[in-house]
């Protein structure tokens, strides 16, 4: 306990020091002055996330140049650039200013760009003129709009070019899966949400399946576990299995885009699964804490990101209670099915209080929807990931795998529609801190109910002791309890 407290204090001090250094940096002061004055600034930036086409109905942001986003059709299918008709991407700002007056920066922003960004690709370095603003009123969380044509400074590396090419070929091939199931396929395999409609987003929110519209820890876990099982099946040594599995997880993270959500999923999936594979089951939570602390030290503004908090809470819930829930459910069903049900149940219980802060509503059927869709998540991830390299190879195999994955996403979408149409699928809940506290109490009651169902003998013994105490008084109830235990 003492060592843990000392380590926590040291981490907090280092985090405060890093925050003070960043705040005192001249480049940071110049940037935030421009944000407050709503002035456009010139920056040198790296395209850190894969550009994602803007939704068809999204208009032009203030300060953007050119026309609005035109409707997409056949022409877009043949276009290799996701920014041909407007896009959004994550960028890493490195310097601010122009000429010799440039000052060093190190800040991630979400950028929206219209037709002027046609030539941008993942991994490129460019000089951008941006108008920045705080996003959602959260300190340190910035969004930006490109107000002039970017000037490209450096081409992406060979690896980044191959990754970008794979993504574009898959997104073009996945157009064979039409409608909302196709949009869900793009999101689950690559984290691309450009085809998602507001109506489909509302359905997924009502059923508690929003995490399936993007790459999450579940997808990373499926890829990681599949590689481990494949390598162990051919009798590869454990150190080599660990090394290759982590490399595959890192490559998958680069493929879907190294933004904050993917970074959380990759690091925390690796933390939990590597510990489990190493046979040290009790070290999962400490390693999760180390991973979360490292991410916060590297990017202090993640402390304001509810998505980061949800990721930590879900992983902690799985590490703490998923195995116990699986053992209890295994009394009435096969253990594999019980484990598949226990993981979303544990994650949902841990995340429910935080979800109320984002959307003050209760989704009573979210556990049911997650349990029904859980068997379909792995096929979508595995088939979609396997189809990625095959899209570069002539032949029908890649399209066949995408079609099979589309059948799984069709099943997920059907379940989401049915569950969202049930009576009381969305119930209003108190907002803010009151909603968080009441949801935490509600979750504790659910956990208590599950514990009572899992320990019927303890409940019966307690009932008998309480009944004897009320009926006969303390002395006789004690002797009665002793006979019951005997």
């Amino acid at each position: 306990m003492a060592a843990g407290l000392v380590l926590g204090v040291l981490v907090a001090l280092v985090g405060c020091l890093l925050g003070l250094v960043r705040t005192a940096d001249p480049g940071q002061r110049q940037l935030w002055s421009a944000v407050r004055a709503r002035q456009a600034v010139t920056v040198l930036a790296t395209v850190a996330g894969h550009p994602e086409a803007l939704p068809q109905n999204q208009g032009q942001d203030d300060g953007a140049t050119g026309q609005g986003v035109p409707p997409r059709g056949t022409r877009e299918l043949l276009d290799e650039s996701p920014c041909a008709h407007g896009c959004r991407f994550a960028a890493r700002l490195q310097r601010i200013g122009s000429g010799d007056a440039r000052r060093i920066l190190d800040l991630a922003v979400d950028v929206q760009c219209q037709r002027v960004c046609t030539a941008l690709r993942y991994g490129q370095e460019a000089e951008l003129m941006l108008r920045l603003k705080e996003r959602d009123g959260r300190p340190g969380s910035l969004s930006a709009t490109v107000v002039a044509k970017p000037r490209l400074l450096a081409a992406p590396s060979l690896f980044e070019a191959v990754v970008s090419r794979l993504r574009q070929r898959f997104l073009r091939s996945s157009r064979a899966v039409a409608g909302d199931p196709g949009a869900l396929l793009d999101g689950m395999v690559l984290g691309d949400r450009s085809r998602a409609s507001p109506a489909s987003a509302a359905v997924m929110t009502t059923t508690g399946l929003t995490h399936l519209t993007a790459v999450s820890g579940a997808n990373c876990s499926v890829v990681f576990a599949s590689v481990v099982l494949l390598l162990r099946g051919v009798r590869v040594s454990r150190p080599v299995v660990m090394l290759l599995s982590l490399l595959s997880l890192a490559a998958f993270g680069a493929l879907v885009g190294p933004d904050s959500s993917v970074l959380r999923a990759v690091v925390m999936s690796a933390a939990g699964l590597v510990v489990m594979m190493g046979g040290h089951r009790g070290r999962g939570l400490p390693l999760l804490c180390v991973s979360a602390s490292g991410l916060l030290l590297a990017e202090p503004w993640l402390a304001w990101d509810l998505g980061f908090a949800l990721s930590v809470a879900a992983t902690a819930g799985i590490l703490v209670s998923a195995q116990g829930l699986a053992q209890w459910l295994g009394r009435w069903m096969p253990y594999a099915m019980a484990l598949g049900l226990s993981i979303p149940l544990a994650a949902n219980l841990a995340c429910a209080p935080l979800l109320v802060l984002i959307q003050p509503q209760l989704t009573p059927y979210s556990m049911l929807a997650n349990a029904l869709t859980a068997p379909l998540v792995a096929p979508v991830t595995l088939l979609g990931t396997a189809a990625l390299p095959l899209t570069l190879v002539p032949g029908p195999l890649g399209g066949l795998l995408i079609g099979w994955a589309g059948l799984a996403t069709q099943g997920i979408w059907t379940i989401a529609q049915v569950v969202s149409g049930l009576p009381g699928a969305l119930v209003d809940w108190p907002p803010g801190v009151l909603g968080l506290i009441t949801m935490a109490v509600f979750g504790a009651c659910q956990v208590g109910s599950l514990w009572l169902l899992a320990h019927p003998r303890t409940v019966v013994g307690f009932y008998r002791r309480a009944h004897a105490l009320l009926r006969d008084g303390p002395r006789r109830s004690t002797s009665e309890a002793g006979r019951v235990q005997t």
Side-chain angles (χ1 to χ4, degrees):
M1 289 291 294
L5 290 175
V6 171
L7 179 61
V9 171
L10 290 177
V11 169
L13 290 176
V14 172
C16 292
L17 180 61
L18 290 175
L20 289 174
V21 169
R22 293 192 177 195
T23 303
D25 184 74
Q28 292 280 347
R29 290 203 301 268
Q30 181 180 349
L31 178 74
W32 286 101
S33 297
V35 171
R36 288 190 292 269
R38 297 186 178 181
Q39 295 177 346
V41 293
T42 301
V43 297
L44 296 184
T46 301
V47 182
H50 296 283
E52 181 180 304
L54 290 175
Q56 181 176 344
N57 60 349
Q58 181 163 341
Q60 184 170 315
D61 199 7
D62 55 350
T65 64
Q67 302 89 1
V69 181
R72 297 189 177 90
T74 307
R75 183 178 178 182
E76 186 196 25
L77 303 181
L78 303 176
D79 201 324
E80 288 294 332
S81 173
C83 288
H85 302 286
C87 65
R88 56 192 173 200
F89 56 89
R92 195 83 192 179
L93 306 188
Q94 298 172 342
R95 293 182 181 273
I96 184 172
S98 57
D100 297 333
R102 287 174 177 164
R103 293 172 175 172
I104 297 176
L105 275 178
D106 183 18
L107 188 67
V109 298
D110 292 329
V111 180
Q112 179 173 310
C113 187
Q114 301 297 328
R115 288 181 140 184
V116 293
C117 294
T118 301
L120 282 181
R121 298 289 190 279
Y122 166 63
Q124 283 181 330
E125 293 183 6
E127 184 180 82
L128 305 174
M129 182 173 287
L130 303 177
R131 180 170 285 116
L132 299 110
K133 62 180 180 180
E134 284 193 88
R135 185 180 57 185
D136 300 333
R138 291 178 291 176
S141 182
L142 293 177
S143 62
T145 302
V146 178
V147 297
K149 186 175 181 179
R151 185 167 68 92
L152 303 183
L153 302 176
S157 65
L158 178 62
F159 173 75
E160 291 167 336
V162 171
V163 167
S164 182
R165 177 79 172 175
L166 280 173
R167 279 181 61 92
Q168 294 309 310
R169 291 299 294 268
F170 180 88
L171 291 175
R172 291 176 64 190
S173 300
S174 67
R175 296 281 175 173
V177 183
D180 293 314
L184 189 59
L185 175 63
D186 293 345
M188 293 183 66
V189 177
L190 293 177
D192 186 277
R193 295 181 290 270
S194 58
R195 285 207 284 164
S197 63
S200 65
V203 170
M204 301 302 282
T205 300
T206 301
T207 55
L209 298 176
T210 309
H211 60 281
L212 294 183
T213 61
V215 176
S216 62
N219 306 73
C220 297
S221 301
V222 168
V223 173
F224 186 94
S226 302
V227 173
V228 169
L229 292 175
L230 179 63
L231 294 176
R232 294 297 289 175
V234 295
R235 300 182 181 277
V236 179
S237 63
R238 178 169 290 185
V240 177
V241 169
M242 288 296 174
L243 177 62
L244 295 179
S245 300
L246 287 176
L247 289 176
S248 67
L249 193 57
F252 181 75
L255 187 63
V256 299
D259 56 14
S260 59
S261 61
V262 175
L263 182 62
R264 291 191 302 269
V266 169
V267 172
M268 294 181 184
S269 297
L273 292 176
V274 169
V275 168
M276 293 179 187
M277 282 296 299
H280 304 290
R281 189 176 62 192
R283 298 184 183 178
L285 281 177
L287 190 52
L288 171 62
C289 294
V290 170
S291 302
S293 301
L295 286 171
L296 286 171
L297 290 176
E299 195 64 49
W301 301 119
L302 283 175
W304 293 92
D305 192 342
L306 276 175
F308 179 79
L310 287 170
S311 181
V312 175
T315 308
I318 292 171
L319 290 174
V320 170
S321 57
Q323 187 174 6
L325 288 172
Q327 291 177 350
W328 173 63
L329 293 173
R331 301 177 182 177
W332 297 281
M333 63 183 69
Y335 183 77
M337 183 182 298
L339 186 62
L341 293 176
S342 65
I343 291 176
L345 179 60
N348 195 290
L349 288 173
C351 293
L354 294 176
L355 288 172
V356 172
L357 296 177
I358 303 174
Q359 179 184 2
Q361 292 173 320
L362 175 66
T363 54
Y365 304 118
S366 60
M367 293 186 188
L368 172 63
N370 278 278
L372 293 176
T373 57
L376 299 174
V377 173
V380 174
T381 303
L382 292 177
L383 292 172
T385 305
L388 278 166
L390 295 176
T391 55
L392 300 176
V393 180
L397 186 56
L400 187 63
L401 294 181
I402 290 175
W404 289 345
L407 292 177
T409 56
Q410 178 65 59
I412 293 174
W413 176 245
T414 302
I415 292 172
Q417 283 186 307
V418 172
V419 173
S420 65
L422 295 177
L426 201 61
V427 180
D428 290 335
W429 199 264
V433 178
L434 177 61
L436 186 147
I437 295 174
T438 53
M439 182 60 74
V441 173
F442 180 65
C445 294
Q446 290 178 301
V447 173
S449 301
L450 292 174
W451 188 89
L452 292 177
L453 291 174
H455 301 82
R457 294 182 180 179
T458 304
V459 176
V460 171
F462 175 79
Y463 170 77
R464 289 179 176 177
R465 288 192 296 271
H467 179 71
L469 178 64
L470 295 174
R471 184 189 61 189
D472 302 324
R475 294 182 179 179
R476 293 190 61 182
S477 62
T478 303
S479 59
E480 179 71 19
R483 288 197 299 272
V484 170
Q485 292 178 355
T486 304

